[in-house]
Amino acid sequence: MARKYYKVKTACPQCGCTELTTLTPEEIKEKYGDVANFDMECGECMEQYSADRKSACPEWDADCKLHE
Ligand SMILES: [Zn+2]
């Protein structure tokens, strides 16, 4: 089976810059854990914020629900 990649897109509430990361399911789990919110840190202003999993990566959110 081909390895699947997920695009995680978030926007910093402080400075508004967007971050787009492409991750494998293993990387997502390792980086953010199995939770409904991703803990993010802005690369521009270092603001820490949490991003809603559903809006950051709808595809991953849907797949998570399939596995539950
Ligand atoms: Zn920022």
Side-chain angles (χ1 to χ4, degrees), residues 12 14-15 17 40-49:
C12 172
Q14 187 72 23
C15 69
C17 77
M40 305 297 299
E41 189 181 280
C42 179
E44 288 293 319
C45 69
M46 307 311 280
E47 169 84 359
Q48 291 187 339
Y49 61 99

